[in-house]
Amino acid sequence: MFEIINNILDGMNIPYYDRQPEFSKNLPSQFITYSFYNVPAFYGCGIEQVTRYHVTFNIYTTGENYKFQADTINDTLTALLLENDFIRQSGNYGISNDFPKYYHRIIEFTYDKEI
């Protein structure tokens, strides 16, 4: 799953991190974090046929037009994820408690991987 997500995010030209990074100085003006977990899908035969990955992306922006920047990143990332067979689940936004003065946009997707 890391490889799939990283390949998608590599094309965005924005710093990204697996889980929550710890910055000592010089935070980027915009960045993405992600985390995921998986759940097996069992069918009538009792054998796992599909693994469903639940992926949360966090978009952080600051500076001028921070809401517009977050919306643009969100739209681009959503399009890339949908093109790569992810399914959108939800999204929300607000101010970040983890990174004060940053706008925080959260989007959630699932990805089904057949076994």
Side-chain angles (χ1 to χ4, degrees):
M1 182 53 54
F2 288 108
E3 185 176 333
I4 293 169
I5 294 171
N6 290 345
N7 284 339
I8 292 168
L9 292 174
D10 280 343
M12 293 196 57
N13 215 14
I14 296 172
Y16 64 88
Y17 308 91
D18 165 31
R19 294 183 294 266
Q20 199 76 349
E22 291 188 25
F23 296 106
S24 57
K25 295 180 183 178
N26 301 327
L27 275 77
S29 62
Q30 55 189 19
F31 61 95
I32 297 171
T33 67
Y34 71 89
S35 61
F36 64 86
Y37 65 93
N38 66 53
V39 176
F42 297 102
Y43 293 93
C45 62
I47 298 173
E48 181 179 354
Q49 302 284 324
V50 172
T51 301
R52 175 164 283 171
Y53 292 87
H54 297 265
V55 187
T56 301
F57 294 91
N58 297 281
I59 301 166
Y60 295 95
T61 58
T62 191
E64 276 190 48
N65 300 314
Y66 60 89
K67 289 182 182 179
F68 176 76
Q69 290 176 37
D71 287 343
T72 302
I73 294 168
N74 175 68
D75 293 346
T76 302
L77 180 55
T78 296
L80 289 170
L81 292 167
L82 293 173
E83 287 174 14
N84 286 278
D85 300 322
F86 283 76
I87 302 165
R88 194 174 86 75
Q89 298 299 305
S90 67
N92 61 45
Y93 49 89
I95 299 299
S96 171
N97 290 330
D98 297 321
F99 298 100
K101 299 182 182 176
Y102 276 77
Y103 186 70
H104 186 194
R105 183 90 189 242
I106 302 167
I107 53 176
E108 297 176 326
F109 284 79
T110 58
Y111 181 86
D112 290 343
K113 184 177 180 183
E114 292 186 23
I115 303 277

